[in-house]
Amino acid sequence: MDYSINTKCVQAGYTPGNGEPRQVPIYQSTTFKYATSEAMGRLFDLEDSGYFYTRLQNPTNDIVAAKIAELEGGTAAMLTSSGQAANFFALFNICECGSHIVASSTIYGGTFNLISVTMAKMGIDVTFVSPDASEEELNAAFKENTRAMFGETIANPALTVLDIEKFAKVAHSHGVPLIIDNTFPTPINCRPIEWGADIVTHSTTKYMDGHGAAVGGAIVDSGNFDWMAHADKYPGLTQPDDSYHGVTYAERFGKEGAFITKCTAQLMRDFGCIQSPQNAFLLNLGLESLHVRMPRHVENGQAVAEFLSKHPSVKSVSYPGLEGDKYHDRAMKYLGGGGCGVVSFELNGGREAAEKFMGKLKIFAIETHVADARSCCLNPATSTHRQMTDEQLAAAGIPAGLIRISCGLEDKNDLIADLKQAMED
């Protein structure tokens, strides 16, 4: 039976047997015992499923990953130590020295830096495109060595909404997968796979955890991209892996399991960016209430955005749930409304006014965080995006005086009152 996403938040991924723990167990162990070397050898050959070292896989993590896969409508998933690790693994799993990526220009600053600086040092090139680019402009960004297209459902902090169907259509016309970071909407408000995305990533640190308690990330494979049909582009998946007993992932595990198996057996083995079982346990507690919390975040975000849009001290507001917002139509199509509780706005007076305003807030705390139960705010140009030049900030839609606020689960009237008093002289 295919249950609703609300029921999946609570029940998916783990069904205890008779006399087994009702709550997901924490397998707080680095290693796992086997009776024979032969039994362990079959695990190393990927002939049997199981666990031998938590740096690669852990039962707690796999239970929680299975829940996230069900929520997103994917066929396989894995947890990582952070959202940054998830995005790096998702891209590096199919890219290598000499590869090229096409990415939306309005992505989170840390991911922008990952792709444009760190991965460039690995010999991987990138072309950034506007999230509003036409099909012709998107097609022009592709090269013979393009191996992936990347974007965010709702960009952090510009709050641009990606036209997932258009990006997927272009990516597939060039024989490459579309990778979407779906952190802000979560699968409660958008399931990118249903719109054509092939791989979905998350910073589970945000709404999925929901309480600022545990850093983590996740990768979900749709199981739809046919790696063997583009074998020349993805030899890592379609040719024998000499570092893992000559296994050919796409042949052994098919479309449904090849991507995540390779990412685990190869990248997690070598980089070790595993999420701790304790963090996975905390993440699951957050997932169990995700379907209840997200509507409240959206309600608060909408109310705050409407208040800000009418205040004389505010120069501009970005929130896709607002009628008249540039991305409102896409938000209605893909998100059913606002999509999250994050609102970006610019005060009259620029950076100086922003610093003064933030210093007077009482409920909204200044934090390098977003998307949890407690409301918070920051100025991206001096924090999360400070590595970007003014030109890059402009291209990403982030003025120097921009303020990003994350509306938590408090009463919306209290949030509005706090913002109001902070803008008074």
Side-chain angles (χ1 to χ4, degrees), residues 151-199:
E152 294 176 354
T153 314
I154 303 177
N156 175 14
L159 301 184
T160 57
V161 179
L162 200 71
D163 190 339
I164 303 172
E165 279 192 315
K166 179 172 69 176
F167 271 63
K169 176 184 177 182
V170 172
H172 296 159
S173 72
H174 292 273
V176 307
L178 173 63
I179 301 173
I180 293 288
D181 185 328
N182 196 39
T183 295
F184 271 7
T186 80
I188 301 302
N189 290 330
C190 183
R191 286 155 54 100
I193 290 171
E194 295 177 353
W195 300 101
D198 300 289
I199 309 294

Side-chain angles (χ1 to χ4, degrees), residues 219-270:
I219 307 171
V220 181
D221 183 10
S222 69
N224 293 328
F225 194 83
D226 191 343
W227 305 106
M228 292 303 294
H230 308 283
D232 58 323
K233 293 179 182 288
Y234 305 103
L237 284 159
T238 62
Q239 295 180 16
D241 180 3
D242 292 336
S243 76
Y244 222 104
H245 316 291
V247 64
T248 299
Y249 298 101
E251 290 181 352
R252 176 80 66 85
F253 302 100
K255 291 192 300 181
E256 296 78 12
F259 186 90
I260 294 297
T261 303
K262 176 182 179 292
C263 206
T264 301
Q266 193 181 87
L267 299 190
M268 192 62 81
R269 175 198 65 193
D270 293 344

Side-chain angles (χ1 to χ4, degrees), residues 6-56:
N6 298 339
T7 301
K8 289 177 180 177
C9 280
V10 181
Q11 296 275 359
Y14 176 64
T15 304
N18 187 48
E20 293 182 345
R22 187 65 189 91
Q23 181 54 276
V24 172
I26 305 173
Y27 287 84
Q28 195 65 48
S29 179
T30 60
T31 50
F32 302 84
K33 176 182 177 295
Y34 287 90
T36 67
S37 295
E38 181 184 0
M40 182 174 285
R42 287 197 296 270
L43 299 178
F44 277 92
D45 288 341
L46 302 179
E47 292 176 354
D48 287 348
S49 60
Y51 305 92
F52 50 84
Y53 198 50
T54 285
R55 192 184 75 221
L56 279 83

Side-chain angles (χ1 to χ4, degrees), residues 105-147:
S105 62
T106 59
I107 56 177
Y108 166 61
T111 311
F112 186 98
N113 194 68
L114 167 69
I115 298 172
S116 65
V117 178
T118 302
M119 294 185 75
K121 294 177 181 177
M122 300 176 176
I124 299 170
D125 192 19
V126 61
T127 297
F128 288 104
V129 295
S130 167
D132 305 321
S134 65
E135 284 191 29
E136 292 74 18
E137 291 169 326
L138 293 178
N139 281 314
F142 279 76
K143 302 179 181 181
E144 185 65 27
N145 59 335
T146 303
R147 296 295 179 263

Side-chain angles (χ1 to χ4, degrees), residues 33 40 50 55 58 69 79-80 127-128 148 183 200 219 231 242 286 296 307 325 360 365-366 395 399 418 421:
K33 176 182 177 295
M40 182 174 285
R55 192 184 75 221
N58 178 281
L79 300 186
T80 61
T127 297
F128 288 104
T183 295
V200 174
I219 307 171
D242 292 336
R296 180 61 172 266
F307 161 75
D325 185 272
K360 295 173 67 177
I366 299 174
D418 190 30
Q421 64 84 23

